[in-house]
């Protein structure tokens, strides 16, 4: 009884501190000369603007009698294009339009720029995560290898990557590697993140392998298993469980680090935030919103990993 | 027991081993083990017993000499070690069971991965082996759920699952609580009775006397004396051996 009431007391303290912090932030926001316009934010998450249908080429418009479809006849050339399934017409019968002019609009909910940015961040992070696991596993095995060439290569990779800033690596990937190999900004961004995170994953995996008692490898080898067989069936499954928490931390870092690819021509969540700030002049609200969206991604990953840990602990 | 060369399963010839730090572990050790023979290796700790045993399946390298097991030179450059090791079972002091697998999975892993035997056949054989070591009811237990004695019996069964020609035991009862020692020794006696060729590094003098065909005494990296158990224990004609036996049989 005593212990539990003391516990409640400390929950109360926690809530009080959090509340005080919130009030302080709110008061600080009031003190500066800034007009908060939270109501502007939702439209950048999701809007009912609908989608516009654009003219594929220059031409004259003719609208059907029932207003349900229109025909675009090319100005110079014989092509015609029939559009239908729209809700609002944006042109009149007989109008001359040019390529990419809006012709009609289809109503409905569409994702706003921040949501599209979130999706881009998620896509970049997910693909980079898969490749960083692959690079990390290979380099991690190289770091425990006896072969001097394999060990040397793996060590150089890890030291080179860990010793230089990610932002600099991103520039190198974008301007040098991307140019030489003719990579798109997306590929270059994913590659930079995967190579960077892979170096850290390699060290985590090396530590995990070295934490498995030597007797495990000896037992597997004495049964006639080759080194790769012993690694795959005996050492790595145990190392994986041990390294799950630090790996999860590294992947959360990956999601956050992905904000740096916004320096390339990639509209991820951070870049989308910058663009929205430019059009709303509401930097406070936008950056708080962007932070909350990152937290949504990292928090979800955290929860998923904790579930996986529990499941593995039960098996 | 015939004396033909074909019956010598283990032939250690003048093996020396010096560790990287300069410590001499083995000095000109020679030992032969014939088919069906049970050889116990005894001696004070640090005398090189375990090192000698571990050179037999190349878990330990040698500095000079030769180790021929099942007709193959173990430390030659071009030997298929995986294949050779599959025929030489090894039981460790610290069990070294795979903690992420159940008892039955511990037994089945190597036959499935190494020998590529059909799963159903492996399962039948491994279930029979678990029953043989008295653990028919522990198929699905993980090592952490088993006592030390049970773990070591699983480890013996795991080595047997590869159907080896030779079994090596590296102080198999040294990590056990005293009351669990006999359940492991009983399994080893059973194996010896079936004619398994065994090399046992042990401190269990009672086991050595009862089961061994020959007892080997090592001290300071050398084989000092070897004899049949009766003369080894009752009429030791070696000064250093008498000193050792005097120490432990007090």
């Amino acid at each position: 009884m005593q212990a539990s009431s003391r516990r409640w007391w400390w929950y109360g303290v926690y809530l009080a501190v959090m509340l005080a912090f919130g009030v302080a932030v709110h008061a600080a926001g009031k003190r500066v000369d800034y007009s908060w316009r939270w109501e502007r934010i939702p439209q950048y998450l999701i809007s009912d603007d609908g989608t516009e249908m654009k003219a594929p080429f220059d031409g004259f418009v003719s609208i059907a009698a029932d207003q349900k479809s229109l025909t675009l006849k090319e100005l110079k050339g014989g092509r015609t294009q029939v559009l239908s399934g729209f809700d609002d017409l944006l042109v009149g019968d007989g109008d001359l339009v040019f390529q990419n002019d809006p012709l009609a609009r289809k109503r409905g909910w569409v994702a706003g720029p921040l949501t599209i940015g979130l999706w881009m961040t998620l896509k970049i992070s997910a693909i980079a995560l898969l490749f960083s696991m692959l690079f990390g596993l290979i380099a991690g095995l190289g770091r425990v290898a006896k072969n001097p060439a394999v060990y040397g290569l793996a060590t150089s990779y890890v030291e080179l990557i860990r010793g230089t800033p990610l932002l600099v690596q991103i520039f190198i990937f974008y301007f040098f590697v991307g140019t030489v190999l003719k990579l798109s900004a997306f590929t270059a961004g994913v590659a930079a993140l995967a190579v960077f995170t892979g170096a850290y994953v390699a060290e985590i995996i090396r530590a995990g392998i070295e934490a498995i008692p030597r007797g495990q490898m000896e037992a597997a080898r004495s049964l006639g298993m080759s080194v790769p067989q012993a690694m795959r069936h005996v050492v790595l499954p145990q190392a994986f469980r041990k390294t799950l928490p630090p790996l999860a931390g590294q992947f959360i870092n990956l999601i956050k680090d992905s904000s740096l690819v916004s320096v390339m021509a990639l509209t991820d969540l951070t870049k989308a935030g910058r663009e929205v700030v430019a059009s709303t002049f509401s930097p406070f609200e936008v950056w708080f919103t962007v932070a909350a969206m990152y937290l949504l991604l990292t928090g979800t990953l955290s929860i998923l990993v904790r579930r996986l840990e529990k499941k593995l602990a039960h098996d | 027991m015939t004396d033909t060369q074909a019956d010598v399963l283990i032939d250690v010839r003048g093996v020396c081993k010096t560790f990287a730090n300069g410590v001499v572990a083995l000095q000109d050790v020679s030992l032969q083990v014939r088919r069906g023979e049970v050889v116990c290796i005894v001696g004070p700790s640090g005398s090189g017993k375990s090192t000698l045993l571990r050179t037999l399946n190349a878990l330990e390298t040698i500095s000079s000499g030769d180790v021929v097991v099942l007709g193959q030179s173990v430390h030659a450059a071009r030997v298929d070690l995986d294949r050779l090791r599959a025929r030489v079972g090894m039981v460790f002091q610290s069990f070294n069971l795979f903690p992420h697998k159940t008892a039955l999975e511990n037994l089945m892993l190597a036959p499935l991965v190494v020998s590529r035997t059909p799963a159903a056949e492996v399962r039948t054989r491994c279930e029979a082996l678990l029953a043989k070591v008295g653990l028919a009811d522990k198929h699905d237990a993980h090592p952490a759920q088993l006592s030390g004695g049970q773990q070591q019996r699983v480890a013996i069964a795991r080595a047997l699952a590869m159907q080896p020609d030779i079994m090596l035991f590296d102080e198999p009862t040294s990590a056990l609580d005293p009351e669990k020692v006999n359940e492991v020794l009983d399994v080893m006696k059973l194996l010896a009775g079936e004619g398994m060729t065994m090399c046992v590094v042990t401190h269990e003098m009672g086991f050595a006397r009862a089961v061994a065909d020959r007892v080997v005494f090592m001290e300071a990296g050398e084989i000092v004396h070897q004899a049949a158990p009766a003369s080894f224990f009752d009429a030791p004609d070696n000064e250093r051996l008498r000193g050792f036996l005097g120490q432990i049989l007090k």
Side-chain angles (χ1 to χ4, degrees), chain A residues 215-216 218-219 221-226 229 233-234 237-238, chain B residues 54 82 85 88 92 96-100 109 113-114 158 162:
Chain A
Q216 290 291 309
E218 287 186 349
R221 298 280 277 140
S222 76
L223 286 163
M225 285 188 224
S226 62
Q229 285 170 338
H233 296 284
V234 176
Q238 295 180 59
Chain B
R54 289 162 60 85
D82 296 339
R85 281 174 172 151
V88 181
F92 300 85
N96 294 346
L97 290 180
F98 307 136
H100 58 303
L109 181 62
V113 171
V114 178
R158 178 177 69 178
M162 290 302 288

PDB file of all heavy atoms in Angstrom, chain A residues 215-216 218-219 221-226 229 233-234 237-238, chain B residues 54 82 85 88 92 96-100 109 113-114 158 162:
ATOM      1  N   GLY A 215      33.080 -21.240 -27.526  1.00  0.00           N
ATOM      2  CA  GLY A 215      32.670 -22.639 -27.499  1.00  0.00           C
ATOM      3  C   GLY A 215      31.544 -22.963 -28.469  1.00  0.00           C
ATOM      4  O   GLY A 215      31.422 -24.092 -28.932  1.00  0.00           O
ATOM      5  N   GLN A 216      30.721 -21.968 -28.791  1.00  0.00           N
ATOM      6  CA  GLN A 216      29.632 -22.201 -29.741  1.00  0.00           C
ATOM      7  C   GLN A 216      30.190 -22.525 -31.124  1.00  0.00           C
ATOM      8  O   GLN A 216      29.750 -23.469 -31.780  1.00  0.00           O
ATOM      9  CB  GLN A 216      28.733 -20.958 -29.812  1.00  0.00           C
ATOM     10  CG  GLN A 216      27.921 -20.733 -28.558  1.00  0.00           C
ATOM     11  CD  GLN A 216      26.852 -21.784 -28.396  1.00  0.00           C
ATOM     12  OE1 GLN A 216      26.083 -22.058 -29.305  1.00  0.00           O
ATOM     13  NE2 GLN A 216      26.802 -22.410 -27.233  1.00  0.00           N
ATOM     14  N   GLU A 218      33.224 -23.584 -31.709  1.00  0.00           N
ATOM     15  CA  GLU A 218      33.981 -24.835 -31.606  1.00  0.00           C
ATOM     16  C   GLU A 218      33.044 -26.037 -31.655  1.00  0.00           C
ATOM     17  O   GLU A 218      33.337 -27.035 -32.323  1.00  0.00           O
ATOM     18  CB  GLU A 218      34.792 -24.859 -30.307  1.00  0.00           C
ATOM     19  CG  GLU A 218      35.987 -23.929 -30.344  1.00  0.00           C
ATOM     20  CD  GLU A 218      36.859 -24.064 -29.113  1.00  0.00           C
ATOM     21  OE1 GLU A 218      36.426 -24.715 -28.144  1.00  0.00           O
ATOM     22  OE2 GLU A 218      37.973 -23.511 -29.134  1.00  0.00           O
ATOM     23  N   ALA A 219      31.922 -25.945 -30.950  1.00  0.00           N
ATOM     24  CA  ALA A 219      30.984 -27.065 -30.940  1.00  0.00           C
ATOM     25  C   ALA A 219      30.452 -27.313 -32.350  1.00  0.00           C
ATOM     26  O   ALA A 219      30.374 -28.457 -32.815  1.00  0.00           O
ATOM     27  CB  ALA A 219      29.840 -26.781 -29.975  1.00  0.00           C
ATOM     28  N   ARG A 221      31.849 -26.452 -35.203  1.00  0.00           N
ATOM     29  CA  ARG A 221      32.914 -26.944 -36.074  1.00  0.00           C
ATOM     30  C   ARG A 221      33.232 -28.399 -35.770  1.00  0.00           C
ATOM     31  O   ARG A 221      33.514 -29.182 -36.674  1.00  0.00           O
ATOM     32  CB  ARG A 221      34.168 -26.076 -35.898  1.00  0.00           C
ATOM     33  CG  ARG A 221      33.968 -24.635 -36.271  1.00  0.00           C
ATOM     34  CD  ARG A 221      34.029 -24.404 -37.767  1.00  0.00           C
ATOM     35  NE  ARG A 221      35.383 -24.276 -38.247  1.00  0.00           N
ATOM     36  CZ  ARG A 221      35.822 -24.791 -39.389  1.00  0.00           C
ATOM     37  NH1 ARG A 221      34.999 -25.499 -40.136  1.00  0.00           N
ATOM     38  NH2 ARG A 221      37.046 -24.611 -39.780  1.00  0.00           N
ATOM     39  N   SER A 222      33.195 -28.768 -34.491  1.00  0.00           N
ATOM     40  CA  SER A 222      33.550 -30.146 -34.142  1.00  0.00           C
ATOM     41  C   SER A 222      32.486 -31.130 -34.625  1.00  0.00           C
ATOM     42  O   SER A 222      32.720 -32.332 -34.684  1.00  0.00           O
ATOM     43  CB  SER A 222      33.755 -30.289 -32.633  1.00  0.00           C
ATOM     44  OG  SER A 222      32.515 -30.303 -31.969  1.00  0.00           O
ATOM     45  N   LEU A 223      31.289 -30.602 -34.971  1.00  0.00           N
ATOM     46  CA  LEU A 223      30.251 -31.474 -35.532  1.00  0.00           C
ATOM     47  C   LEU A 223      30.394 -31.596 -37.053  1.00  0.00           C
ATOM     48  O   LEU A 223      29.598 -32.269 -37.694  1.00  0.00           O
ATOM     49  CB  LEU A 223      28.868 -30.922 -35.195  1.00  0.00           C
ATOM     50  CG  LEU A 223      28.432 -31.107 -33.742  1.00  0.00           C
ATOM     51  CD1 LEU A 223      27.269 -30.196 -33.414  1.00  0.00           C
ATOM     52  CD2 LEU A 223      28.069 -32.558 -33.479  1.00  0.00           C
ATOM     53  N   GLY A 224      31.394 -30.900 -37.601  1.00  0.00           N
ATOM     54  CA  GLY A 224      31.632 -31.000 -39.043  1.00  0.00           C
ATOM     55  C   GLY A 224      31.066 -29.850 -39.850  1.00  0.00           C
ATOM     56  O   GLY A 224      31.099 -29.873 -41.075  1.00  0.00           O
ATOM     57  N   MET A 225      30.539 -28.834 -39.169  1.00  0.00           N
ATOM     58  CA  MET A 225      30.008 -27.697 -39.920  1.00  0.00           C
ATOM     59  C   MET A 225      31.163 -26.822 -40.402  1.00  0.00           C
ATOM     60  O   MET A 225      32.154 -26.642 -39.699  1.00  0.00           O
ATOM     61  CB  MET A 225      29.095 -26.849 -39.025  1.00  0.00           C
ATOM     62  CG  MET A 225      27.743 -27.467 -38.780  1.00  0.00           C
ATOM     63  SD  MET A 225      26.695 -26.280 -37.920  1.00  0.00           S
ATOM     64  CE  MET A 225      25.977 -27.353 -36.720  1.00  0.00           C
ATOM     65  N   SER A 226      30.989 -26.243 -41.585  1.00  0.00           N
ATOM     66  CA  SER A 226      31.975 -25.286 -42.091  1.00  0.00           C
ATOM     67  C   SER A 226      31.760 -23.960 -41.371  1.00  0.00           C
ATOM     68  O   SER A 226      30.756 -23.780 -40.681  1.00  0.00           O
ATOM     69  CB  SER A 226      31.793 -25.103 -43.589  1.00  0.00           C
ATOM     70  OG  SER A 226      30.519 -24.565 -43.836  1.00  0.00           O
ATOM     71  N   GLN A 229      28.477 -22.337 -42.406  1.00  0.00           N
ATOM     72  CA  GLN A 229      27.328 -23.064 -41.828  1.00  0.00           C
ATOM     73  C   GLN A 229      27.182 -22.739 -40.340  1.00  0.00           C
ATOM     74  O   GLN A 229      26.079 -22.488 -39.849  1.00  0.00           O
ATOM     75  CB  GLN A 229      27.507 -24.579 -42.002  1.00  0.00           C
ATOM     76  CG  GLN A 229      27.253 -25.059 -43.419  1.00  0.00           C
ATOM     77  CD  GLN A 229      27.675 -26.500 -43.625  1.00  0.00           C
ATOM     78  OE1 GLN A 229      28.501 -27.038 -42.880  1.00  0.00           O
ATOM     79  NE2 GLN A 229      27.132 -27.133 -44.648  1.00  0.00           N
ATOM     80  N   HIS A 233      23.873 -20.915 -38.818  1.00  0.00           N
ATOM     81  CA  HIS A 233      22.922 -21.652 -37.988  1.00  0.00           C
ATOM     82  C   HIS A 233      23.140 -21.484 -36.495  1.00  0.00           C
ATOM     83  O   HIS A 233      22.224 -21.705 -35.712  1.00  0.00           O
ATOM     84  CB  HIS A 233      22.972 -23.142 -38.341  1.00  0.00           C
ATOM     85  CG  HIS A 233      22.550 -23.442 -39.745  1.00  0.00           C
ATOM     86  ND1 HIS A 233      21.232 -23.438 -40.137  1.00  0.00           N
ATOM     87  CD2 HIS A 233      23.260 -23.705 -40.854  1.00  0.00           C
ATOM     88  CE1 HIS A 233      21.147 -23.706 -41.425  1.00  0.00           C
ATOM     89  NE2 HIS A 233      22.376 -23.866 -41.889  1.00  0.00           N
ATOM     90  N   VAL A 234      24.357 -21.146 -36.107  1.00  0.00           N
ATOM     91  CA  VAL A 234      24.660 -21.123 -34.671  1.00  0.00           C
ATOM     92  C   VAL A 234      24.987 -19.713 -34.165  1.00  0.00           C
ATOM     93  O   VAL A 234      24.351 -19.224 -33.236  1.00  0.00           O
ATOM     94  CB  VAL A 234      25.829 -22.091 -34.354  1.00  0.00           C
ATOM     95  CG1 VAL A 234      26.212 -21.991 -32.884  1.00  0.00           C
ATOM     96  CG2 VAL A 234      25.426 -23.520 -34.698  1.00  0.00           C
ATOM     97  N   PRO A 237      22.279 -16.338 -35.478  1.00  0.00           N
ATOM     98  CA  PRO A 237      20.964 -16.231 -34.827  1.00  0.00           C
ATOM     99  C   PRO A 237      21.063 -15.751 -33.382  1.00  0.00           C
ATOM    100  O   PRO A 237      20.216 -14.992 -32.922  1.00  0.00           O
ATOM    101  CB  PRO A 237      20.428 -17.673 -34.876  1.00  0.00           C
ATOM    102  CG  PRO A 237      21.160 -18.325 -35.984  1.00  0.00           C
ATOM    103  CD  PRO A 237      22.516 -17.684 -36.021  1.00  0.00           C
ATOM    104  N   GLN A 238      22.120 -16.180 -32.676  1.00  0.00           N
ATOM    105  CA  GLN A 238      22.290 -15.720 -31.295  1.00  0.00           C
ATOM    106  C   GLN A 238      22.751 -14.271 -31.263  1.00  0.00           C
ATOM    107  O   GLN A 238      22.302 -13.481 -30.420  1.00  0.00           O
ATOM    108  CB  GLN A 238      23.319 -16.593 -30.578  1.00  0.00           C
ATOM    109  CG  GLN A 238      22.870 -18.029 -30.406  1.00  0.00           C
ATOM    110  CD  GLN A 238      23.930 -18.842 -29.701  1.00  0.00           C
ATOM    111  OE1 GLN A 238      24.321 -18.551 -28.587  1.00  0.00           O
ATOM    112  NE2 GLN A 238      24.422 -19.877 -30.361  1.00  0.00           N
TER     113      GLN A 238
ATOM    114  N   ARG B  54      42.410 -31.599 -27.982  1.00  0.00           N
ATOM    115  CA  ARG B  54      41.926 -30.638 -28.975  1.00  0.00           C
ATOM    116  C   ARG B  54      42.765 -30.634 -30.251  1.00  0.00           C
ATOM    117  O   ARG B  54      42.310 -30.141 -31.286  1.00  0.00           O
ATOM    118  CB  ARG B  54      41.870 -29.235 -28.361  1.00  0.00           C
ATOM    119  CG  ARG B  54      40.734 -29.089 -27.333  1.00  0.00           C
ATOM    120  CD  ARG B  54      40.950 -27.888 -26.442  1.00  0.00           C
ATOM    121  NE  ARG B  54      40.996 -26.651 -27.193  1.00  0.00           N
ATOM    122  CZ  ARG B  54      39.910 -25.952 -27.544  1.00  0.00           C
ATOM    123  NH1 ARG B  54      38.721 -26.373 -27.206  1.00  0.00           N
ATOM    124  NH2 ARG B  54      40.032 -24.857 -28.233  1.00  0.00           N
ATOM    125  N   ASP B  82      36.254 -30.554 -42.247  1.00  0.00           N
ATOM    126  CA  ASP B  82      34.835 -30.655 -41.907  1.00  0.00           C
ATOM    127  C   ASP B  82      34.382 -32.105 -41.967  1.00  0.00           C
ATOM    128  O   ASP B  82      33.659 -32.597 -41.104  1.00  0.00           O
ATOM    129  CB  ASP B  82      34.000 -29.804 -42.863  1.00  0.00           C
ATOM    130  CG  ASP B  82      34.325 -28.319 -42.716  1.00  0.00           C
ATOM    131  OD1 ASP B  82      34.854 -27.952 -41.656  1.00  0.00           O
ATOM    132  OD2 ASP B  82      34.059 -27.564 -43.660  1.00  0.00           O
ATOM    133  N   ARG B  85      35.998 -34.044 -39.057  1.00  0.00           N
ATOM    134  CA  ARG B  85      35.399 -33.701 -37.761  1.00  0.00           C
ATOM    135  C   ARG B  85      34.014 -34.318 -37.609  1.00  0.00           C
ATOM    136  O   ARG B  85      33.579 -34.624 -36.493  1.00  0.00           O
ATOM    137  CB  ARG B  85      35.291 -32.188 -37.620  1.00  0.00           C
ATOM    138  CG  ARG B  85      36.605 -31.533 -37.229  1.00  0.00           C
ATOM    139  CD  ARG B  85      36.438 -30.044 -37.251  1.00  0.00           C
ATOM    140  NE  ARG B  85      37.596 -29.345 -36.708  1.00  0.00           N
ATOM    141  CZ  ARG B  85      37.957 -28.134 -37.089  1.00  0.00           C
ATOM    142  NH1 ARG B  85      37.272 -27.507 -38.027  1.00  0.00           N
ATOM    143  NH2 ARG B  85      38.993 -27.538 -36.548  1.00  0.00           N
ATOM    144  N   VAL B  88      34.371 -37.468 -35.912  1.00  0.00           N
ATOM    145  CA  VAL B  88      34.972 -37.446 -34.577  1.00  0.00           C
ATOM    146  C   VAL B  88      34.100 -36.594 -33.664  1.00  0.00           C
ATOM    147  O   VAL B  88      34.072 -35.379 -33.780  1.00  0.00           O
ATOM    148  CB  VAL B  88      36.401 -36.857 -34.631  1.00  0.00           C
ATOM    149  CG1 VAL B  88      37.025 -36.864 -33.245  1.00  0.00           C
ATOM    150  CG2 VAL B  88      37.260 -37.645 -35.612  1.00  0.00           C
ATOM    151  N   PHE B  92      32.341 -31.220 -24.631  1.00  0.00           N
ATOM    152  CA  PHE B  92      33.121 -30.181 -23.956  1.00  0.00           C
ATOM    153  C   PHE B  92      32.782 -30.101 -22.472  1.00  0.00           C
ATOM    154  O   PHE B  92      31.691 -30.454 -22.049  1.00  0.00           O
ATOM    155  CB  PHE B  92      32.833 -28.819 -24.595  1.00  0.00           C
ATOM    156  CG  PHE B  92      33.183 -28.747 -26.057  1.00  0.00           C
ATOM    157  CD1 PHE B  92      32.287 -29.174 -27.027  1.00  0.00           C
ATOM    158  CD2 PHE B  92      34.412 -28.260 -26.465  1.00  0.00           C
ATOM    159  CE1 PHE B  92      32.604 -29.106 -28.370  1.00  0.00           C
ATOM    160  CE2 PHE B  92      34.743 -28.182 -27.804  1.00  0.00           C
ATOM    161  CZ  PHE B  92      33.838 -28.616 -28.762  1.00  0.00           C
ATOM    162  N   ASN B  96      28.487 -26.434 -24.235  1.00  0.00           N
ATOM    163  CA  ASN B  96      28.400 -25.716 -25.510  1.00  0.00           C
ATOM    164  C   ASN B  96      27.188 -26.119 -26.341  1.00  0.00           C
ATOM    165  O   ASN B  96      27.253 -26.204 -27.559  1.00  0.00           O
ATOM    166  CB  ASN B  96      29.665 -25.905 -26.346  1.00  0.00           C
ATOM    167  CG  ASN B  96      30.878 -25.265 -25.704  1.00  0.00           C
ATOM    168  OD1 ASN B  96      30.730 -24.470 -24.790  1.00  0.00           O
ATOM    169  ND2 ASN B  96      32.049 -25.621 -26.158  1.00  0.00           N
ATOM    170  N   LEU B  97      26.062 -26.356 -25.668  1.00  0.00           N
ATOM    171  CA  LEU B  97      24.828 -26.582 -26.431  1.00  0.00           C
ATOM    172  C   LEU B  97      24.419 -25.268 -27.088  1.00  0.00           C
ATOM    173  O   LEU B  97      24.815 -24.191 -26.642  1.00  0.00           O
ATOM    174  CB  LEU B  97      23.714 -27.065 -25.499  1.00  0.00           C
ATOM    175  CG  LEU B  97      23.881 -28.478 -24.952  1.00  0.00           C
ATOM    176  CD1 LEU B  97      22.699 -28.829 -24.047  1.00  0.00           C
ATOM    177  CD2 LEU B  97      23.977 -29.491 -26.082  1.00  0.00           C
ATOM    178  N   PHE B  98      23.625 -25.378 -28.158  1.00  0.00           N
ATOM    179  CA  PHE B  98      23.163 -24.160 -28.841  1.00  0.00           C
ATOM    180  C   PHE B  98      21.925 -23.652 -28.096  1.00  0.00           C
ATOM    181  O   PHE B  98      20.863 -24.271 -28.159  1.00  0.00           O
ATOM    182  CB  PHE B  98      22.827 -24.466 -30.301  1.00  0.00           C
ATOM    183  CG  PHE B  98      23.956 -25.152 -31.032  1.00  0.00           C
ATOM    184  CD1 PHE B  98      23.715 -26.234 -31.861  1.00  0.00           C
ATOM    185  CD2 PHE B  98      25.275 -24.714 -30.879  1.00  0.00           C
ATOM    186  CE1 PHE B  98      24.761 -26.871 -32.525  1.00  0.00           C
ATOM    187  CE2 PHE B  98      26.323 -25.340 -31.538  1.00  0.00           C
ATOM    188  CZ  PHE B  98      26.065 -26.424 -32.361  1.00  0.00           C
ATOM    189  N   PRO B  99      22.055 -22.513 -27.403  1.00  0.00           N
ATOM    190  CA  PRO B  99      20.978 -22.103 -26.489  1.00  0.00           C
ATOM    191  C   PRO B  99      19.689 -21.696 -27.188  1.00  0.00           C
ATOM    192  O   PRO B  99      18.631 -21.678 -26.563  1.00  0.00           O
ATOM    193  CB  PRO B  99      21.596 -20.901 -25.746  1.00  0.00           C
ATOM    194  CG  PRO B  99      22.684 -20.404 -26.635  1.00  0.00           C
ATOM    195  CD  PRO B  99      23.200 -21.595 -27.383  1.00  0.00           C
ATOM    196  N   HIS B 100      19.775 -21.365 -28.497  1.00  0.00           N
ATOM    197  CA  HIS B 100      18.568 -20.902 -29.190  1.00  0.00           C
ATOM    198  C   HIS B 100      17.795 -22.061 -29.803  1.00  0.00           C
ATOM    199  O   HIS B 100      16.797 -21.844 -30.474  1.00  0.00           O
ATOM    200  CB  HIS B 100      18.932 -19.887 -30.269  1.00  0.00           C
ATOM    201  CG  HIS B 100      19.897 -20.423 -31.297  1.00  0.00           C
ATOM    202  ND1 HIS B 100      21.127 -20.934 -30.971  1.00  0.00           N
ATOM    203  CD2 HIS B 100      19.803 -20.518 -32.628  1.00  0.00           C
ATOM    204  CE1 HIS B 100      21.739 -21.319 -32.075  1.00  0.00           C
ATOM    205  NE2 HIS B 100      20.960 -21.082 -33.098  1.00  0.00           N
ATOM    206  N   LEU B 109      20.551 -30.511 -35.890  1.00  0.00           N
ATOM    207  CA  LEU B 109      21.143 -29.464 -36.730  1.00  0.00           C
ATOM    208  C   LEU B 109      22.263 -29.978 -37.637  1.00  0.00           C
ATOM    209  O   LEU B 109      22.195 -29.847 -38.863  1.00  0.00           O
ATOM    210  CB  LEU B 109      21.653 -28.309 -35.859  1.00  0.00           C
ATOM    211  CG  LEU B 109      22.272 -27.157 -36.647  1.00  0.00           C
ATOM    212  CD1 LEU B 109      21.249 -26.514 -37.558  1.00  0.00           C
ATOM    213  CD2 LEU B 109      22.874 -26.111 -35.716  1.00  0.00           C
ATOM    214  N   VAL B 113      22.343 -30.191 -41.687  1.00  0.00           N
ATOM    215  CA  VAL B 113      23.139 -29.200 -42.403  1.00  0.00           C
ATOM    216  C   VAL B 113      24.353 -29.841 -43.074  1.00  0.00           C
ATOM    217  O   VAL B 113      24.679 -29.536 -44.212  1.00  0.00           O
ATOM    218  CB  VAL B 113      23.600 -28.091 -41.430  1.00  0.00           C
ATOM    219  CG1 VAL B 113      24.604 -27.173 -42.102  1.00  0.00           C
ATOM    220  CG2 VAL B 113      22.411 -27.290 -40.944  1.00  0.00           C
ATOM    221  N   VAL B 114      25.015 -30.753 -42.342  1.00  0.00           N
ATOM    222  CA  VAL B 114      26.281 -31.298 -42.836  1.00  0.00           C
ATOM    223  C   VAL B 114      26.057 -32.519 -43.724  1.00  0.00           C
ATOM    224  O   VAL B 114      26.559 -32.596 -44.835  1.00  0.00           O
ATOM    225  CB  VAL B 114      27.211 -31.654 -41.663  1.00  0.00           C
ATOM    226  CG1 VAL B 114      28.507 -32.272 -42.173  1.00  0.00           C
ATOM    227  CG2 VAL B 114      27.498 -30.419 -40.831  1.00  0.00           C
ATOM    228  N   ARG B 158      24.179 -35.245 -29.004  1.00  0.00           N
ATOM    229  CA  ARG B 158      24.392 -34.399 -30.180  1.00  0.00           C
ATOM    230  C   ARG B 158      25.612 -34.873 -30.964  1.00  0.00           C
ATOM    231  O   ARG B 158      25.591 -34.939 -32.201  1.00  0.00           O
ATOM    232  CB  ARG B 158      24.578 -32.942 -29.750  1.00  0.00           C
ATOM    233  CG  ARG B 158      24.863 -32.009 -30.910  1.00  0.00           C
ATOM    234  CD  ARG B 158      24.983 -30.572 -30.478  1.00  0.00           C
ATOM    235  NE  ARG B 158      26.188 -30.331 -29.683  1.00  0.00           N
ATOM    236  CZ  ARG B 158      26.549 -29.140 -29.210  1.00  0.00           C
ATOM    237  NH1 ARG B 158      25.769 -28.098 -29.428  1.00  0.00           N
ATOM    238  NH2 ARG B 158      27.646 -28.994 -28.501  1.00  0.00           N
ATOM    239  N   MET B 162      25.922 -37.542 -35.273  1.00  0.00           N
ATOM    240  CA  MET B 162      26.690 -37.574 -36.524  1.00  0.00           C
ATOM    241  C   MET B 162      27.256 -38.973 -36.784  1.00  0.00           C
ATOM    242  O   MET B 162      27.998 -39.162 -37.743  1.00  0.00           O
ATOM    243  CB  MET B 162      27.825 -36.553 -36.486  1.00  0.00           C
ATOM    244  CG  MET B 162      27.372 -35.112 -36.551  1.00  0.00           C
ATOM    245  SD  MET B 162      26.412 -34.728 -38.033  1.00  0.00           S
ATOM    246  CE  MET B 162      27.686 -34.775 -39.284  1.00  0.00           C
TER     247      MET B 162
END
